Short mmCIF file of all heavy atoms in Angstrom, two decimals:
data_model
loop_
_atom_site.label_atom_id
_atom_site.label_comp_id
_atom_site.label_asym_id
_atom_site.label_seq_id
_atom_site.Cartn_x
_atom_site.Cartn_y
_atom_site.Cartn_z
N ALA A 1 0.83 -1.21 0.00
CA ALA A 1 0.00 0.00 0.00
C ALA A 1 0.86 1.25 0.00
O ALA A 1 0.56 2.23 -0.71
CB ALA A 1 -0.92 0.00 1.21
N GLY A 2 1.93 1.25 0.78
CA GLY A 2 2.79 2.42 0.88
C GLY A 2 3.77 2.55 -0.26
O GLY A 2 4.18 3.66 -0.61
N PHE A 3 4.14 1.42 -0.87
CA PHE A 3 5.15 1.45 -1.93
C PHE A 3 4.55 1.83 -3.28
O PHE A 3 5.17 2.52 -4.08
CB PHE A 3 5.85 0.09 -2.03
CG PHE A 3 7.03 0.10 -2.95
CD1 PHE A 3 8.26 0.59 -2.51
CD2 PHE A 3 6.94 -0.36 -4.25
CE1 PHE A 3 9.37 0.62 -3.36
CE2 PHE A 3 8.03 -0.35 -5.11
CZ PHE A 3 9.25 0.15 -4.66
N ILE A 4 3.34 1.34 -3.54
CA ILE A 4 2.70 1.59 -4.83
C ILE A 4 1.85 2.86 -4.73
O ILE A 4 1.01 3.00 -3.85
CB ILE A 4 1.81 0.40 -5.24
CG1 ILE A 4 2.66 -0.86 -5.42
CG2 ILE A 4 1.03 0.71 -6.49
CD1 ILE A 4 3.69 -0.79 -6.53
N GLY A 5 2.07 3.77 -5.66
CA GLY A 5 1.34 5.02 -5.68
C GLY A 5 2.23 6.19 -5.33
O GLY A 5 3.10 6.08 -4.47
N SER A 6 2.03 7.32 -6.03
CA SER A 6 2.85 8.50 -5.78
C SER A 6 1.96 9.75 -5.89
O SER A 6 1.35 9.97 -6.94
CB SER A 6 4.00 8.58 -6.80
OG SER A 6 4.80 9.71 -6.57
N PRO A 7 1.87 10.53 -4.81
CA PRO A 7 2.44 10.31 -3.47
C PRO A 7 1.88 9.04 -2.83
O PRO A 7 0.87 8.51 -3.28
CB PRO A 7 1.99 11.55 -2.68
CG PRO A 7 1.64 12.58 -3.70
CD PRO A 7 1.13 11.80 -4.87
N ALA A 8 2.56 8.60 -1.78
CA ALA A 8 2.19 7.35 -1.14
C ALA A 8 0.82 7.45 -0.47
O ALA A 8 0.32 8.54 -0.17
CB ALA A 8 3.25 6.97 -0.10
N MET A 9 0.22 6.30 -0.23
CA MET A 9 -1.06 6.24 0.47
C MET A 9 -0.93 6.86 1.86
O MET A 9 0.06 6.66 2.56
CB MET A 9 -1.51 4.78 0.60
CG MET A 9 -2.83 4.59 1.34
SD MET A 9 -3.26 2.85 1.58
CE MET A 9 -3.79 2.39 -0.07
N ASN A 10 -1.95 7.65 2.27
CA ASN A 10 -2.01 8.16 3.63
C ASN A 10 -2.35 7.02 4.58
O ASN A 10 -3.23 6.21 4.29
CB ASN A 10 -3.09 9.24 3.74
CG ASN A 10 -2.80 10.45 2.87
OD1 ASN A 10 -1.79 11.11 3.04
ND2 ASN A 10 -3.69 10.73 1.91
N GLU A 11 -1.65 6.95 5.70
CA GLU A 11 -1.90 5.90 6.69
C GLU A 11 -2.26 6.54 8.03
O GLU A 11 -1.55 7.40 8.53
CB GLU A 11 -0.67 5.00 6.85
CG GLU A 11 -0.34 4.23 5.56
CD GLU A 11 0.89 3.35 5.72
OE1 GLU A 11 1.43 3.27 6.85
OE2 GLU A 11 1.30 2.73 4.72
N MET A 12 -3.39 6.10 8.60
CA MET A 12 -3.89 6.63 9.86
C MET A 12 -3.91 5.53 10.90
O MET A 12 -4.52 4.47 10.68
CB MET A 12 -5.30 7.20 9.66
CG MET A 12 -5.38 8.31 8.60
SD MET A 12 -7.08 8.79 8.21
CE MET A 12 -7.55 7.50 7.04
N GLN A 13 -3.25 5.75 12.02
CA GLN A 13 -3.19 4.78 13.09
C GLN A 13 -4.36 5.02 14.05
O GLN A 13 -4.53 6.12 14.56
CB GLN A 13 -1.87 4.89 13.85
CG GLN A 13 -0.62 4.85 12.97
CD GLN A 13 -0.49 3.54 12.21
OE1 GLN A 13 -0.81 2.48 12.72
NE2 GLN A 13 -0.01 3.62 10.98
N CYS A 14 -5.16 3.97 14.29
CA CYS A 14 -6.35 4.10 15.12
C CYS A 14 -6.40 2.99 16.17
O CYS A 14 -5.80 1.92 15.99
CB CYS A 14 -7.62 4.00 14.27
SG CYS A 14 -7.66 5.08 12.84
N THR A 15 -7.14 3.25 17.23
CA THR A 15 -7.44 2.24 18.24
C THR A 15 -8.89 1.83 18.08
O THR A 15 -9.78 2.69 18.02
CB THR A 15 -7.19 2.77 19.66
OG1 THR A 15 -5.81 3.13 19.78
CG2 THR A 15 -7.52 1.71 20.71
N VAL A 16 -9.14 0.53 18.02
CA VAL A 16 -10.50 0.01 17.82
C VAL A 16 -11.25 0.01 19.14
O VAL A 16 -10.72 -0.41 20.17
CB VAL A 16 -10.45 -1.41 17.21
CG1 VAL A 16 -11.85 -1.98 17.08
CG2 VAL A 16 -9.76 -1.38 15.86
N THR A 17 -12.48 0.51 19.10
CA THR A 17 -13.37 0.50 20.27
C THR A 17 -14.63 -0.25 19.91
O THR A 17 -14.79 -0.77 18.80
CB THR A 17 -13.72 1.94 20.69
OG1 THR A 17 -14.50 2.55 19.64
CG2 THR A 17 -12.45 2.77 20.92
N ALA A 18 -15.59 -0.28 20.85
CA ALA A 18 -16.85 -0.97 20.60
C ALA A 18 -17.63 -0.32 19.47
O ALA A 18 -18.44 -0.97 18.79
CB ALA A 18 -17.70 -0.99 21.87
N ASP A 19 -17.38 0.98 19.23
CA ASP A 19 -18.11 1.70 18.19
C ASP A 19 -17.39 1.70 16.84
O ASP A 19 -17.89 2.26 15.87
CB ASP A 19 -18.33 3.15 18.63
CG ASP A 19 -19.15 3.24 19.90
OD1 ASP A 19 -20.09 2.42 20.05
OD2 ASP A 19 -18.86 4.11 20.74
N GLY A 20 -16.20 1.13 16.77
CA GLY A 20 -15.42 1.14 15.55
C GLY A 20 -14.08 1.79 15.79
O GLY A 20 -13.37 1.47 16.75
N ALA A 21 -13.69 2.75 14.95
CA ALA A 21 -12.44 3.48 15.12
C ALA A 21 -12.68 4.94 14.73
O ALA A 21 -13.63 5.27 14.00
CB ALA A 21 -11.33 2.87 14.27
N GLU A 22 -11.79 5.82 15.23
CA GLU A 22 -11.94 7.25 14.97
C GLU A 22 -10.57 7.87 14.75
O GLU A 22 -9.60 7.49 15.40
CB GLU A 22 -12.64 7.94 16.16
CG GLU A 22 -12.93 9.41 15.96
CD GLU A 22 -11.79 10.32 16.45
OE1 GLU A 22 -10.94 9.82 17.23
OE2 GLU A 22 -11.74 11.49 16.05
N PHE A 23 -10.51 8.80 13.77
CA PHE A 23 -9.26 9.51 13.52
C PHE A 23 -9.56 10.96 13.23
O PHE A 23 -10.15 11.28 12.19
CB PHE A 23 -8.50 8.88 12.34
CG PHE A 23 -7.17 9.52 12.05
CD1 PHE A 23 -6.01 9.07 12.69
CD2 PHE A 23 -7.06 10.58 11.17
CE1 PHE A 23 -4.78 9.66 12.43
CE2 PHE A 23 -5.84 11.19 10.90
CZ PHE A 23 -4.69 10.72 11.55
N ALA A 24 -9.17 11.84 14.14
CA ALA A 24 -9.28 13.29 13.97
C ALA A 24 -10.65 13.72 13.44
O ALA A 24 -10.76 14.54 12.54
CB ALA A 24 -8.18 13.80 13.04
N GLY A 25 -11.70 13.09 13.99
CA GLY A 25 -13.06 13.47 13.60
C GLY A 25 -13.69 12.56 12.57
O GLY A 25 -14.89 12.65 12.31
N LEU A 26 -12.91 11.67 11.96
CA LEU A 26 -13.46 10.73 10.98
C LEU A 26 -13.86 9.44 11.67
O LEU A 26 -13.03 8.80 12.33
CB LEU A 26 -12.42 10.44 9.89
CG LEU A 26 -12.84 9.43 8.82
CD1 LEU A 26 -13.93 10.00 7.93
CD2 LEU A 26 -11.63 9.01 7.97
N GLN A 27 -15.11 9.03 11.54
CA GLN A 27 -15.60 7.79 12.13
C GLN A 27 -15.46 6.65 11.12
O GLN A 27 -15.86 6.80 9.95
CB GLN A 27 -17.08 7.94 12.54
CG GLN A 27 -17.32 9.04 13.57
CD GLN A 27 -16.58 8.77 14.87
OE1 GLN A 27 -16.52 7.63 15.35
NE2 GLN A 27 -16.00 9.83 15.45
N ILE A 28 -14.91 5.53 11.59
CA ILE A 28 -14.63 4.39 10.71
C ILE A 28 -15.35 3.16 11.26
O ILE A 28 -14.92 2.58 12.26
CB ILE A 28 -13.11 4.12 10.62
CG1 ILE A 28 -12.39 5.39 10.15
CG2 ILE A 28 -12.82 2.96 9.69
CD1 ILE A 28 -10.96 5.48 10.57
N PRO A 29 -16.45 2.74 10.63
CA PRO A 29 -17.16 1.54 11.10
C PRO A 29 -16.41 0.26 10.71
O PRO A 29 -15.69 0.24 9.71
CB PRO A 29 -18.51 1.63 10.39
CG PRO A 29 -18.21 2.40 9.14
CD PRO A 29 -17.11 3.37 9.49
N LEU A 30 -16.59 -0.79 11.49
CA LEU A 30 -15.96 -2.08 11.20
C LEU A 30 -17.02 -3.17 11.16
O LEU A 30 -17.93 -3.22 12.00
CB LEU A 30 -14.92 -2.43 12.28
CG LEU A 30 -13.68 -1.54 12.36
CD1 LEU A 30 -12.85 -1.93 13.58
CD2 LEU A 30 -12.86 -1.65 11.10
N SER A 31 -16.91 -4.06 10.18
CA SER A 31 -17.83 -5.19 10.08
C SER A 31 -17.40 -6.29 11.05
O SER A 31 -16.25 -6.31 11.50
CB SER A 31 -17.84 -5.73 8.65
OG SER A 31 -16.59 -6.37 8.36
N PRO A 32 -18.30 -7.24 11.37
CA PRO A 32 -17.91 -8.36 12.23
C PRO A 32 -16.72 -9.15 11.65
O PRO A 32 -15.86 -9.62 12.40
CB PRO A 32 -19.19 -9.21 12.29
CG PRO A 32 -20.30 -8.24 12.03
CD PRO A 32 -19.74 -7.24 11.06
N GLU A 33 -16.68 -9.30 10.31
CA GLU A 33 -15.58 -10.04 9.69
C GLU A 33 -14.25 -9.31 9.88
O GLU A 33 -13.21 -9.94 10.12
CB GLU A 33 -15.85 -10.23 8.20
CG GLU A 33 -17.03 -11.13 7.86
CD GLU A 33 -18.37 -10.43 8.01
OE1 GLU A 33 -18.39 -9.19 8.13
OE2 GLU A 33 -19.39 -11.15 8.01
N GLN A 34 -14.27 -8.00 9.78
CA GLN A 34 -13.06 -7.21 9.97
C GLN A 34 -12.59 -7.26 11.42
O GLN A 34 -11.38 -7.40 11.69
CB GLN A 34 -13.31 -5.77 9.53
CG GLN A 34 -13.46 -5.63 8.03
CD GLN A 34 -13.99 -4.28 7.60
OE1 GLN A 34 -14.60 -3.56 8.40
NE2 GLN A 34 -13.77 -3.91 6.34
N ARG A 35 -13.52 -7.19 12.35
CA ARG A 35 -13.15 -7.30 13.77
C ARG A 35 -12.53 -8.65 14.07
O ARG A 35 -11.55 -8.77 14.81
CB ARG A 35 -14.37 -7.07 14.66
CG ARG A 35 -14.85 -5.62 14.72
CD ARG A 35 -16.06 -5.50 15.64
NE ARG A 35 -16.52 -4.12 15.71
CZ ARG A 35 -16.04 -3.20 16.54
NH1 ARG A 35 -15.06 -3.53 17.37
NH2 ARG A 35 -16.53 -1.99 16.55
N ALA A 36 -13.11 -9.71 13.47
CA ALA A 36 -12.61 -11.06 13.72
C ALA A 36 -11.21 -11.25 13.16
O ALA A 36 -10.42 -12.05 13.69
CB ALA A 36 -13.58 -12.08 13.11
N ALA A 37 -10.87 -10.53 12.10
CA ALA A 37 -9.56 -10.69 11.47
C ALA A 37 -8.46 -9.94 12.22
O ALA A 37 -7.27 -10.23 12.01
CB ALA A 37 -9.62 -10.22 10.02
N LEU A 38 -8.81 -8.99 13.06
CA LEU A 38 -7.81 -8.21 13.79
C LEU A 38 -7.14 -9.07 14.86
O LEU A 38 -7.79 -9.88 15.54
CB LEU A 38 -8.46 -6.99 14.46
CG LEU A 38 -8.78 -5.80 13.54
CD1 LEU A 38 -9.69 -4.82 14.27
CD2 LEU A 38 -7.49 -5.11 13.11
N THR A 39 -5.83 -8.90 15.04
CA THR A 39 -5.10 -9.64 16.06
C THR A 39 -4.82 -8.78 17.30
O THR A 39 -4.25 -9.26 18.27
CB THR A 39 -3.76 -10.16 15.50
OG1 THR A 39 -2.97 -9.04 15.06
CG2 THR A 39 -4.00 -11.10 14.33
N SER A 40 -5.19 -7.49 17.22
CA SER A 40 -5.04 -6.58 18.36
C SER A 40 -6.06 -5.46 18.20
O SER A 40 -6.89 -5.49 17.28
CB SER A 40 -3.62 -6.00 18.42
OG SER A 40 -3.43 -5.05 17.38
#
């Protein structure tokens, strides 16, 4: 993701909560499949 594309892809580090994830005002919902795939 970071190597392909110019300029490089923007990457946002988030902490997952019961409501999903949030970054500087942006709300990011997560599906059950995505939650299950996370290792942390």
Side-chain angles (χ1 to χ4, degrees):
F3 189 80
I4 298 297
S6 181
M9 179 185 285
N10 297 299
E11 296 179 4
M12 302 171 278
Q13 308 298 323
C14 309
T15 300
V16 176
T17 66
D19 299 323
E22 183 269 343
F23 182 89
L26 178 69
Q27 300 299 319
I28 303 155
L30 293 174
S31 70
E33 293 79 13
Q34 290 168 339
R35 287 181 180 274
L38 283 167
T39 60
S40 73

